[in-house]
Amino acid sequence: MFFFKYPKEPAAMGSWTKPTCKCCISSAVQPLVTLELTENINMETKQWLMARIQEEKIVGGTELMVHPGEDDDGNMLLVSASHHVLLRAAEVLGLYKLYKDGSMISFSYRDRRNFQNSDNINEFLTLAERQFIILHTLENIKAVDEKYIPGYPTITLYPGEAIFNRLRKSKILHTFYPLHDEELLTELGNHWQSHRNLSLQPIDSIYRYFGGSVAMYFSFLEYFTCSLMPMAIFGIILVSLSMDTIDKCILFSCLNMIWSTVVMELWKRQSFVLAYTWGTMQMNSQFEEPRADYKGLMGTNPITHRYQPYYPAWKRKVKIWLVSVPILCLFLGFSLYGMFVFFRAEAWVKAYHSENDGCWACALYLPSVLHSLYVTSMNILYKMVAKMLTEWENHRLQTSFQNHLTIKVLVFRFVNCFAALFYISFYLQDLELLRKELASLLVLTQIINQLIETLVPYLHKTFIGKGAGLKKATMENAPDIDKIKLQGQMPPFPGMFDEYMELFVQFGYISLFSCIYPLTAMLIVVNNIMEIRVDGLKLCHLFRKPFNSPAANIGVWQTAFELIGFLSVITNCFLISMSPQVEEYCTENNITPKNVLIWTVGVEHALLAIKVILAFVIPDIPQWVKLRIDRVEYQSIQALKHKLAEADKGHSRETEEKGTWPDGITQSDSNESSLHMNNRQLNLL
Amino acid sequence: MFFFKYPKEPAAMGSWTKPTCKCCISSAVQPLVTLELTENINMETKQWLMARIQEEKIVGGTELMVHPGEDDDGNMLLVSASHHVLLRAAEVLGLYKLYKDGSMISFSYRDRRNFQNSDNINEFLTLAERQFIILHTLENIKAVDEKYIPGYPTITLYPGEAIFNRLRKSKILHTFYPLHDEELLTELGNHWQSHRNLSLQPIDSIYRYFGGSVAMYFSFLEYFTCSLMPMAIFGIILVSLSMDTIDKCILFSCLNMIWSTVVMELWKRQSFVLAYTWGTMQMNSQFEEPRADYKGLMGTNPITHRYQPYYPAWKRKVKIWLVSVPILCLFLGFSLYGMFVFFRAEAWVKAYHSENDGCWACALYLPSVLHSLYVTSMNILYKMVAKMLTEWENHRLQTSFQNHLTIKVLVFRFVNCFAALFYISFYLQDLELLRKELASLLVLTQIINQLIETLVPYLHKTFIGKGAGLKKATMENAPDIDKIKLQGQMPPFPGMFDEYMELFVQFGYISLFSCIYPLTAMLIVVNNIMEIRVDGLKLCHLFRKPFNSPAANIGVWQTAFELIGFLSVITNCFLISMSPQVEEYCTENNITPKNVLIWTVGVEHALLAIKVILAFVIPDIPQWVKLRIDRVEYQSIQALKHKLAEADKGHSRETEEKGTWPDGITQSDSNESSLHMNNRQLNLL
């Protein structure tokens, strides 16, 4: 960890806004966020931006501390904040923190001394939270009376426009990223690697360092891998004893279907516990500040009474249903059409090849290659379109934006990944081909993925890393600003989408086709054990530190995994009913195909019902969490009553004389447990 | 409406506890609830009971007003309450009321002047609410230091035992019921009858007079009947144009399936609006007081910090899953077995009759008669068992007790009503028999029901009512207490279960077998239009006034109706696929039965998916209600912060000297919109 030292005489440096309150006085300030401006930044613009960041809240500033990074190009700004600014912003953001009585309540600046650890800012607000607070504060700087960006008269501003958004769009602000804390990072890395067994990832340290969404992912990855182990062992036993008779297979599938429900329900409970202890669970999205790109007419929020942009929800719905959904369907159509063309082409090429045998053996692979090129380019194109559409839908909250983007891409990817398998299993009804395809997909994609994921870090370490290492050695005493610049040169963190997608596809292979290939779970467990290390390494050393986003759960992914669970009942039931063993059994026992199908449908419906009942019976929130939340809710209602009554007190004193209400009662205690009127006489019979 | 007049000199009467505060002084008190004690009640017991009711809260009393009904037997007590006692109890119960700013918030006694209408108690608390408050207060009288009930040394009490419960069980308290308010009742009756069109039932007046659950039922009945009308008209058109070709039938069924989802989702929204305006929506069940029969170790409620009995939830769950569910299954088994025996017996009797023709024609009906006797007795027996089981499960809240009882009886009744129809349609696959059975069931049961429901009131009016009318005429100037006694002689209101069950069975007929008999909806609309009048009449004139229970929705019935919706997709799809027209079409076009089934299953799954998506897409709570609830929630959180900070203020002043936190900041305003530090210097570059 490095600090910018305060000079003895403030005037000597002058670039850090020195906090004036006693408790904020510290000889060094740790920079939290770096802004990278465009290279030939206009001095006027830079000064104006720094002024706007440092200005008092009352004139539209943020009161953050800003320091011009003393780099060669002079295009960097380092931002930090005093403890009090951080704490006040934490209240505005509605962060939940541990109160002295052990419950999580919405942080209150006035009452801060009663929150646990609030006297140590580094303990109280995690690094990720502090950086998120700064991000959020910066993104909420609004234009006040500027007509344009000083130094760039062509880039106009309207009153209330988010300045940072404008700067970013006009490329004046190149990028901005939170800074690594080397000390903490080393500690976290050691902690992560030292635990050889799976179940002891330092989730809490990850949360403190990287924030909610990253920690939630790693927690889910760990949970998912652990919960796969029984299935993996069971699968190995089945295969190694070569007990793949049909009844064993049915048993295995049924177990698998129940398992998938129980696993996802229990995960929901666990994620509630995590979110509760992190304080992200109760952050009511309605009270959240809108995201920076949110456009709308400025107005007073009817709930919080803050001055915020507003965009009607029905317009968003119209956009989603009339534009986004049809475009998604169009892309799905293209993708499916591509798949059919591929199957046709392959069949044709095979036929052609067997007729005129020997010529151009490599042409056999041409359809596959062309198809994968087509799928890849469609994937890239669609992701861009989805991003634009979601941006255009103008979601108010970052979480809702993220969820809508995820759904769009998820559905498309799911169809791309599984359409061929569904085609093989239910249209061609060729279970042998399905098994081969599944095995090759599992092994191939996993090997390729792992290779890419492990090789890239390795290559990075040996080649670029060596260079960096050399640099580091020479830079040990070099200006810290160069270290920061090095962080900026790393690629930005691409988000957790691909990681979740990988797990989602795995879950699909395990659940949807479990009866076909019982070894799936085992292969995936092996893959995931490596995955945990590789993802950790990537996150710590290969990418820029991402900004934390508070995550209460895994969002849309929970629903997606649950849907796969339901789909799996349907696929497994029909796959089993189509298997040659069942057919054999039926012809032996004179059962018509229609009756087999009736039985299949019956069993399928029963299993679906069991899944629904299970999901319903397992409570989503653990009892103790619910108890604590209810307690705070009850206290809040009581406090509201108290506050309203207090506010009315002055008024009541005035009107007392008019005699609407008797005096003695208004001032009596409102404590419900001792409702008693004063000196009432008992008139017994 | 009649009142007990206060005598000029309080000592002259002495039996009403006269309130001492100015605003409660009124020359007459309207009795709200009557207690009917056993006939030869011990004077000591009566005096003790009155004392306990009148006593101050602080010594374990309720501060209600009690008056010995001056009847001949001397076994009645009339209970009322002063305004302040009612208002204080309304706060304890957590009633939500309209605040001056138009939002519904938890009523606060201290802040009462800011609630709308709070200066007029009859306007502010509905009659139903006032009576519910008294019921609740009475039921919560706990034994303090009595070892036994005075006058009955054999009936022991333990400390903290609910006295009323004990009195009721030992038959000392014969019954207690809320009293009708003749004036309001006449007004309501006129209002109800004057509106000849359906859609204008005075739901709000019903709510004010009878309370939430009754008003919710009538609102649902009205909604359900109105929403059936399009289906009824469509069905009539189909039949009258004799367009019962298979594709029309399929169209009709599909419409029906989508309709059932949309109707139930929209009802959910409407019930939220109703519950919000009634203030029953946000009553968090966790904060409710436990029901009187709830047993458990006394302890402090961890949420509200009130001294209450506690019974662990896991014990209840064990009881439910290990005892109640198996017993339900056992009864279902008996019932189904009875059905099979009936079908066998009928077939045997028919065969026997056709062999030895002519002899004992009436014996043909013997199986039916025996079976209906069996079903009826099973129904009665099971209802008793279910009540005992639910009592034994020891539910904390009245709503949860009611829901568990409803589920138990509901499942049993559903199986009894529909098992035969399912047997006919899917085992015998005899659609003609199904159609005949359905038509006869619809017409017969409805005619019988309506006859019973209309004849009984009519007979009551002409015979008993005439007597009462005569009595009334002579009693015009007779002591009011006799009028009250007359109310006690009416049968107690049996609850809404049978009314809902009727609607549920109707919904089952419409949804599950819509494709078989398109006239169902029309018949049911006709029935329900009559039903509304008959139910209203029954409630107003035939039964004792029921105690109100606050209802936020129709409870388990919502889920039950939704489940029927899903089941209907399954039944309709398979019924259509089994129909002779489809079979004909298939044989013409050479489609194998297996392929028909595959198509059916495909369509069924698609329809189920559409239903799930529809239910997901239609938001449960209307936007404006959600907005208001969020606003109150936000205010509550802010108020809690404020209160905690206030509570800490004194403490903070003391510790200020130690200098942990600077003075200027602690006392600054916590208003987030103007977060500014005092006099901070801007150090520009």
Side-chain angles (χ1 to χ4, degrees):
Chain A
M1 206 195 300
F2 64 94
F3 298 99
F4 282 97
K5 301 281 179 300
Y6 267 112
K8 289 278 176 288
E9 286 297 299
M13 188 160 176
S15 49
W16 278 112
T17 325
K18 200 178 160 196
T20 49
C21 56
K22 274 185 286 179
C23 69
C24 291
I25 289 182
S26 141
S27 61
V29 174
Q30 180 191 9
L32 293 171
V33 172
T34 303
L35 310 183
E36 225 176 282
L37 302 171
T38 180
E39 286 202 6
N40 40 6
I41 179 78
N42 193 324
M43 214 34 165
E44 188 188 350
T45 317
K46 194 173 165 186
Q47 285 184 5
W48 165 77
L49 187 61
M50 287 181 70
R52 283 308 308 274
I53 294 174
Q54 292 175 330
E55 263 171 9
E56 280 187 56
K57 202 90 193 175
I58 213 157
V59 290
T62 63
E63 301 185 343
L64 297 177
M65 293 188 280
V66 66
H67 176 88
E70 284 143 346
D71 57 325
D72 304 332
D73 308 322
N75 62 344
M76 286 174 78
L77 290 177
L78 301 178
V79 183
S80 188
S82 73
H83 300 183
H84 286 292
V85 170
L86 286 174
L87 290 177
R88 279 165 190 276
E91 174 166 0
V92 176
L93 271 174
L95 295 189
Y96 274 70
K97 287 282 162 192
L98 200 60
Y99 201 62
K100 62 179 175 189
D101 66 354
S103 54
M104 300 293 294
I105 70 171
S106 180
F107 177 67
S108 156
Y109 179 74
R110 278 177 80 192
D111 193 28
R112 62 191 177 281
R113 83 185 61 216
N114 284 324
F115 284 83
Q116 289 184 22
N117 285 326
S118 64
D119 46 350
N120 179 356
I121 190 84
N122 291 343
E123 189 64 32
F124 186 65
L125 294 173
T126 67
L127 180 65
E129 277 171 346
R130 278 176 280 153
Q131 288 169 335
F132 181 68
I133 286 173
I134 289 184
L135 164 74
H136 185 267
T137 314
L138 288 178
E139 279 186 335
N140 271 285
I141 304 181
K142 303 272 160 66
V144 184
D145 42 13
E146 297 95 339
K147 291 277 171 296
Y148 54 88
I149 291 176
Y152 295 86
T154 51
I155 304 173
T156 55
L157 289 169
Y158 62 84
E161 185 169 11
I163 287 177
F164 261 67
N165 211 17
R166 196 87 187 86
L167 286 173
R168 235 186 318 183
K169 275 185 189 154
S170 56
K171 309 265 190 230
I172 295 174
L173 177 62
H174 191 248
T175 177
F176 63 122
Y177 46 89
L179 289 169
H180 274 297
D181 180 321
E182 279 174 44
E183 208 173 286
L184 283 178
L185 186 62
T186 320
E187 201 180 299
L188 175 66
N190 290 341
H191 207 45
W192 217 334
Q193 303 293 328
S194 71
H195 289 287
R196 291 278 158 230
N197 55 342
L198 265 174
S199 58
L200 286 167
Q201 282 188 89
I203 294 293
D204 205 54
S205 305
I206 300 173
Y207 170 71
R208 295 189 65 82
Y209 193 80
F210 286 109
S213 52
V214 171
M216 198 54 100
Y217 166 73
F218 279 102
S219 176
F220 181 64
L221 177 57
E222 179 183 309
Y223 173 85
F224 182 65
T225 309
C226 290
S227 64
L228 272 182
M229 287 188 180
M231 278 297 132
I233 293 167
F234 197 54
I236 293 171
I237 293 173
L238 267 190
V239 172
S240 61
L241 298 182
S242 52
M243 286 171 14
D244 51 348
T245 54
I246 189 67
D247 43 335
K248 294 285 176 334
C249 227
I250 290 174
L251 179 73
F252 184 67
S253 296
C254 285
L255 268 181
N256 212 326
M257 289 175 238
I258 302 300
W259 166 85
S260 72
T261 313
V262 173
V263 160
M264 287 318 293
E265 286 297 315
L266 292 183
W267 164 252
K268 218 190 272 175
R269 282 170 70 89
Q270 188 171 332
S271 74
F272 267 118
V273 173
L274 284 177
Y276 181 76
T277 50
W278 294 342
T280 48
M281 179 180 182
Q282 291 143 296
M283 287 181 73
N284 188 320
S285 55
Q286 289 297 317
F287 313 156
E288 261 179 52
E289 294 280 312
R291 47 193 290 272
D293 286 336
Y294 181 63
K295 284 181 283 287
L297 290 170
M298 292 301 284
T300 311
N301 184 324
I303 296 167
T304 60
H305 295 295
R306 293 182 194 157
Y307 192 65
Q308 282 173 345
Y310 171 75
Y311 185 78
W314 67 267
K315 280 195 190 171
R316 188 177 309 124
K317 274 184 195 156
V318 168
K319 283 179 174 180
I320 291 175
W321 291 104
L322 295 189
V323 180
S324 300
V325 172
I327 288 182
L328 169 62
C329 293
L330 195 74
F331 268 90
L332 284 180
F334 277 125
S335 182
L336 290 177
Y337 185 73
M339 193 189 78
F340 286 115
V341 169
F342 157 68
F343 275 111
R344 286 271 175 87
E346 198 175 52
W348 185 82
V349 166
K350 250 185 198 156
Y352 185 84
H353 190 257
S354 59
E355 274 173 30
N356 341 10
D357 55 73
C359 76
W360 287 19
C362 60
L364 267 175
Y365 296 98
L366 198 65
S368 301
V369 172
L370 284 178
H371 184 239
S372 29
L373 275 179
Y374 177 72
V375 167
T376 314
S377 55
M378 281 293 278
N379 266 340
I380 295 171
L381 181 65
Y382 179 73
K383 200 166 184 179
M384 274 162 51
V385 172
K387 217 165 190 169
M388 272 164 50
L389 281 175
T390 318
E391 195 67 64
W392 175 68
E393 283 162 17
N394 197 13
H395 292 275
R396 190 174 172 276
L397 302 171
Q398 188 59 37
T399 43
S400 132
F401 173 84
Q402 206 56 54
N403 281 346
H404 275 86
L405 181 58
T406 306
I407 293 173
K408 285 196 190 72
V409 184
L410 174 69
V411 171
F412 189 69
R413 288 270 186 94
F414 176 78
V415 171
N416 272 338
C417 280
F418 289 97
L421 293 177
F422 275 95
Y423 181 78
I424 293 171
S425 43
F426 294 107
Y427 190 79
L428 301 181
Q429 306 205 350
D430 185 346
L431 297 195
E432 222 28 69
L433 181 61
L434 179 64
R435 186 166 296 152
K436 250 163 51 191
E437 192 80 0
L438 204 57
S440 78
L441 263 177
L442 271 172
V443 176
L444 256 180
T445 57
Q446 294 209 353
I447 287 177
I448 291 173
N449 263 337
Q450 284 306 330
L451 269 184
I452 292 176
E453 292 197 29
T454 40
L455 259 189
V456 169
Y458 180 76
L459 289 177
H460 185 273
K461 269 215 163 169
T462 43
F463 292 93
I464 310 164
K466 225 173 230 165
L470 269 174
K471 262 190 202 162
K472 230 181 205 166
T474 61
M475 267 167 60
E476 206 67 335
N477 297 320
D480 288 328
I481 196 72
D482 288 349
K483 288 189 191 168
I484 292 175
K485 213 160 187 185
L486 213 64
Q487 286 188 32
Q489 283 161 7
M490 287 176 169
F493 184 68
M496 313 277 10
F497 182 86
D498 287 313
E499 317 292 336
Y500 275 116
M501 194 69 213
E502 204 182 324
L503 291 186
F504 180 69
V505 171
Q506 288 179 358
F507 192 70
Y509 289 147
I510 302 175
S511 306
L512 298 175
F513 307 102
S514 62
C515 60
I516 295 297
Y517 196 64
L519 278 183
T520 316
M522 193 269 291
L523 283 175
I524 286 174
V525 166
V526 172
N527 176 67
N528 283 3
I529 291 176
M530 301 205 302
E531 184 83 18
I532 289 179
R533 313 230 156 267
V534 173
D535 282 351
L537 205 67
K538 257 174 25 179
L539 203 63
C540 288
H541 300 296
L542 282 194
F543 291 107
R544 243 182 254 165
K545 186 171 188 294
F547 275 112
N548 158 59
S549 42
N553 44 53
I554 56 172
V556 178
W557 295 103
Q558 177 84 34
T559 319
F561 277 78
E562 282 171 13
L563 279 181
I564 286 278
F566 281 98
L567 210 53
S568 78
V569 174
I570 302 173
T571 54
N572 277 307
C573 283
F574 288 98
L575 283 177
I576 288 176
S577 82
M578 281 169 6
S579 68
Q581 291 99 324
V582 169
E583 253 165 48
E584 223 169 78
Y585 178 84
C586 291
T587 43
E588 273 171 26
N589 295 276
N590 275 330
I591 303 170
T592 62
K594 197 186 163 188
N595 281 342
V596 174
L597 206 55
I598 288 174
W599 269 101
T600 311
V601 173
V603 170
E604 184 224 329
H605 281 78
L607 278 170
L608 283 178
I610 290 173
K611 272 177 94 85
V612 172
I613 292 171
L614 262 180
F616 182 75
V617 164
I618 300 174
D620 285 353
I621 307 181
Q623 190 62 28
W624 67 270
V625 174
K626 192 157 169 25
L627 196 76
R628 292 200 187 180
I629 291 171
D630 279 345
R631 188 163 55 196
V632 171
E633 193 189 330
Y634 180 76
Q635 284 174 354
S636 298
I637 291 172
Q638 298 305 320
L640 180 61
K641 286 185 197 172
H642 176 84
K643 189 181 168 185
L644 293 173
E646 283 294 320
D648 188 56
K649 225 179 196 173
H651 176 68
S652 90
R653 291 260 166 81
E654 289 163 30
T655 52
E656 214 82 289
E657 270 76 76
K658 292 171 199 158
T660 330
W661 297 97
D663 198 305
I665 288 156
T666 309
Q667 303 199 341
S668 73
D669 201 312
S670 76
N671 188 349
E672 324 82 5
S673 61
S674 66
L675 291 182
H676 70 281
M677 289 198 179
N678 24 356
N679 298 328
R680 231 176 75 184
Q681 301 229 321
L682 289 179
N683 292 333
L684 299 183
L685 258 181
Chain B
M1 206 197 299
F2 64 92
F3 299 100
F4 282 97
K5 302 281 180 300
Y6 266 113
K8 290 278 176 287
E9 288 297 299
M13 187 159 175
S15 49
W16 278 112
T17 326
K18 201 178 157 193
T20 48
C21 55
K22 275 184 284 178
C23 70
C24 290
I25 288 183
S26 141
S27 61
V29 174
Q30 181 191 8
L32 291 171
V33 172
T34 303
L35 310 182
E36 224 176 282
L37 302 170
T38 179
E39 286 202 6
N40 41 7
I41 179 77
N42 194 324
M43 214 33 167
E44 188 189 351
T45 318
K46 194 173 165 185
Q47 285 185 6
W48 164 77
L49 187 61
M50 286 180 71
R52 282 310 307 274
I53 294 175
Q54 292 175 329
E55 264 172 9
E56 281 187 58
K57 203 89 192 174
I58 213 159
V59 291
T62 62
E63 301 184 345
L64 298 177
M65 293 189 279
V66 66
H67 176 88
E70 282 143 347
D71 58 324
D72 305 333
D73 307 324
N75 62 344
M76 285 173 78
L77 290 177
L78 302 178
V79 183
S80 188
S82 74
H83 300 182
H84 286 291
V85 171
L86 285 174
L87 289 177
R88 279 164 189 277
E91 174 167 359
V92 176
L93 271 173
L95 295 189
Y96 273 71
K97 288 283 162 191
L98 200 60
Y99 202 62
K100 61 178 175 188
D101 66 354
S103 52
M104 300 293 296
I105 69 171
S106 180
F107 176 68
S108 155
Y109 179 73
R110 279 176 80 191
D111 193 28
R112 62 189 177 282
R113 81 185 62 218
N114 285 324
F115 284 83
Q116 290 183 20
N117 285 326
S118 64
D119 44 352
N120 179 357
I121 190 85
N122 291 342
E123 190 63 32
F124 187 65
L125 294 173
T126 67
L127 180 66
E129 277 170 348
R130 277 176 281 152
Q131 289 169 334
F132 180 68
I133 285 173
I134 289 184
L135 164 74
H136 185 266
T137 314
L138 289 177
E139 279 186 335
N140 271 285
I141 304 180
K142 303 272 159 66
V144 183
D145 43 13
E146 297 95 338
K147 291 278 171 297
Y148 54 87
I149 292 177
Y152 296 85
T154 50
I155 304 173
T156 54
L157 289 168
Y158 62 84
E161 184 169 10
I163 287 178
F164 261 66
N165 210 18
R166 196 86 186 85
L167 286 173
R168 234 184 321 181
K169 274 186 190 153
S170 56
K171 309 264 190 229
I172 296 175
L173 176 62
H174 191 247
T175 175
F176 63 122
Y177 47 89
L179 288 169
H180 274 297
D181 180 319
E182 279 173 43
E183 210 173 284
L184 283 178
L185 185 62
T186 321
E187 201 181 299
L188 175 66
N190 290 340
H191 207 46
W192 217 333
Q193 303 294 327
S194 71
H195 289 287
R196 292 278 157 227
N197 55 342
L198 266 174
S199 58
L200 286 166
Q201 282 189 91
I203 295 294
D204 204 55
S205 305
I206 299 173
Y207 169 72
R208 294 189 65 82
Y209 193 81
F210 286 109
S213 53
V214 172
M216 197 54 100
Y217 165 73
F218 279 102
S219 176
F220 180 65
L221 177 56
E222 180 183 307
Y223 174 85
F224 182 65
T225 309
C226 291
S227 65
L228 271 183
M229 288 190 181
M231 277 297 132
I233 293 167
F234 197 54
I236 293 172
I237 293 172
L238 267 190
V239 173
S240 62
L241 297 182
S242 51
M243 287 170 17
D244 50 348
T245 55
I246 189 67
D247 42 338
K248 294 285 176 334
C249 228
I250 291 174
L251 179 73
F252 184 67
S253 296
C254 286
L255 270 181
N256 213 325
M257 290 174 238
I258 303 300
W259 167 84
S260 72
T261 313
V262 173
V263 160
M264 287 318 293
E265 285 298 314
L266 292 183
W267 164 253
K268 218 190 271 175
R269 282 169 71 90
Q270 188 171 333
S271 74
F272 267 118
V273 173
L274 284 176
Y276 181 76
T277 50
W278 294 342
T280 47
M281 179 179 182
Q282 291 143 296
M283 287 182 72
N284 188 321
S285 56
Q286 288 298 316
F287 312 157
E288 262 180 52
E289 294 278 312
R291 47 193 290 271
D293 286 336
Y294 181 65
K295 284 182 281 288
L297 290 171
M298 292 301 285
T300 310
N301 184 323
I303 296 167
T304 60
H305 294 296
R306 293 182 193 157
Y307 192 65
Q308 284 172 343
Y310 171 76
Y311 185 78
W314 66 266
K315 279 194 191 172
R316 187 175 310 125
K317 274 185 195 155
V318 168
K319 283 179 174 179
I320 291 175
W321 291 105
L322 294 189
V323 180
S324 299
V325 172
I327 287 182
L328 169 63
C329 293
L330 195 74
F331 268 89
L332 284 180
F334 277 125
S335 182
L336 289 178
Y337 186 74
M339 193 190 78
F340 285 115
V341 169
F342 158 67
F343 276 111
R344 286 270 174 89
E346 198 174 53
W348 183 83
V349 166
K350 249 184 199 158
Y352 185 84
H353 189 258
S354 59
E355 273 173 31
N356 342 8
D357 55 74
C359 78
W360 287 20
C362 59
L364 268 175
Y365 296 99
L366 198 66
S368 301
V369 172
L370 284 179
H371 183 240
S372 28
L373 275 178
Y374 177 72
V375 167
T376 315
S377 54
M378 281 294 277
N379 266 339
I380 295 171
L381 180 65
Y382 179 72
K383 200 166 183 180
M384 275 163 51
V385 172
K387 217 164 190 170
M388 273 164 50
L389 281 176
T390 319
E391 195 69 64
W392 175 68
E393 281 161 19
N394 198 13
H395 292 275
R396 190 175 173 275
L397 301 172
Q398 187 60 34
T399 43
S400 131
F401 173 83
Q402 205 57 52
N403 282 346
H404 275 85
L405 181 58
T406 306
I407 294 174
K408 284 197 189 73
V409 183
L410 174 70
V411 172
F412 188 69
R413 287 271 185 96
F414 177 78
V415 172
N416 271 338
C417 279
F418 289 97
L421 293 178
F422 274 95
Y423 180 78
I424 293 171
S425 44
F426 294 108
Y427 189 78
L428 302 181
Q429 304 205 352
D430 184 345
L431 297 196
E432 222 27 69
L433 181 62
L434 178 64
R435 187 167 296 152
K436 252 164 50 192
E437 193 80 2
L438 204 57
S440 78
L441 262 177
L442 271 171
V443 175
L444 255 181
T445 56
Q446 294 210 352
I447 288 178
I448 291 172
N449 263 337
Q450 284 306 328
L451 270 183
I452 291 175
E453 291 198 28
T454 41
L455 260 189
V456 168
Y458 180 76
L459 289 176
H460 186 272
K461 267 216 163 169
T462 44
F463 291 94
I464 309 164
K466 224 172 232 167
L470 269 174
K471 261 190 204 162
K472 231 183 206 167
T474 60
M475 268 167 59
E476 206 66 336
N477 298 320
D480 288 327
I481 195 72
D482 288 348
K483 288 189 192 170
I484 292 175
K485 214 160 188 186
L486 213 63
Q487 287 188 33
Q489 283 159 7
M490 287 176 169
F493 184 69
M496 313 278 11
F497 181 85
D498 288 312
E499 317 293 335
Y500 275 117
M501 194 68 211
E502 206 182 321
L503 292 187
F504 180 69
V505 171
Q506 287 178 358
F507 192 70
Y509 289 147
I510 303 176
S511 307
L512 297 176
F513 307 103
S514 63
C515 59
I516 295 297
Y517 195 64
L519 280 183
T520 317
M522 195 268 292
L523 284 174
I524 285 173
V525 167
V526 172
N527 176 67
N528 283 3
I529 291 176
M530 301 208 298
E531 183 85 18
I532 290 179
R533 312 230 155 267
V534 174
D535 281 352
L537 205 68
K538 259 176 24 182
L539 204 63
C540 289
H541 299 296
L542 284 192
F543 291 108
R544 242 181 255 166
K545 186 170 188 294
F547 275 112
N548 158 58
S549 42
N553 43 52
I554 55 172
V556 179
W557 294 104
Q558 176 82 36
T559 318
F561 276 79
E562 282 172 13
L563 280 182
I564 285 279
F566 281 98
L567 210 54
S568 78
V569 174
I570 303 172
T571 55
N572 277 308
C573 284
F574 287 98
L575 282 177
I576 288 176
S577 83
M578 279 168 8
S579 70
Q581 290 100 322
V582 169
E583 253 165 48
E584 226 168 75
Y585 178 85
C586 291
T587 43
E588 275 171 25
N589 296 276
N590 276 330
I591 304 169
T592 63
K594 196 185 163 188
N595 280 343
V596 174
L597 205 56
I598 288 174
W599 269 101
T600 312
V601 173
V603 171
E604 183 224 329
H605 281 78
L607 279 170
L608 283 178
I610 290 174
K611 273 177 93 85
V612 171
I613 291 171
L614 263 180
F616 182 76
V617 164
I618 300 174
D620 285 353
I621 306 181
Q623 190 61 28
W624 67 272
V625 174
K626 191 156 168 28
L627 196 76
R628 293 201 187 179
I629 292 171
D630 279 345
R631 186 163 56 196
V632 171
E633 192 188 331
Y634 181 76
Q635 285 174 353
S636 299
I637 291 172
Q638 298 306 320
L640 180 62
K641 286 185 197 171
H642 176 85
K643 189 180 168 185
L644 293 173
E646 282 295 318
D648 188 57
K649 223 179 197 175
H651 177 69
S652 90
R653 290 259 166 80
E654 290 163 30
T655 52
E656 214 81 290
E657 270 76 75
K658 292 172 200 159
T660 331
W661 297 97
D663 198 305
I665 287 155
T666 310
Q667 304 199 340
S668 73
D669 202 312
S670 77
N671 187 350
E672 323 85 2
S673 61
S674 66
L675 291 182
H676 71 279
M677 287 198 179
N678 24 356
N679 299 327
R680 230 175 76 183
Q681 300 228 322
L682 289 179
N683 292 334
L684 300 182
L685 258 182

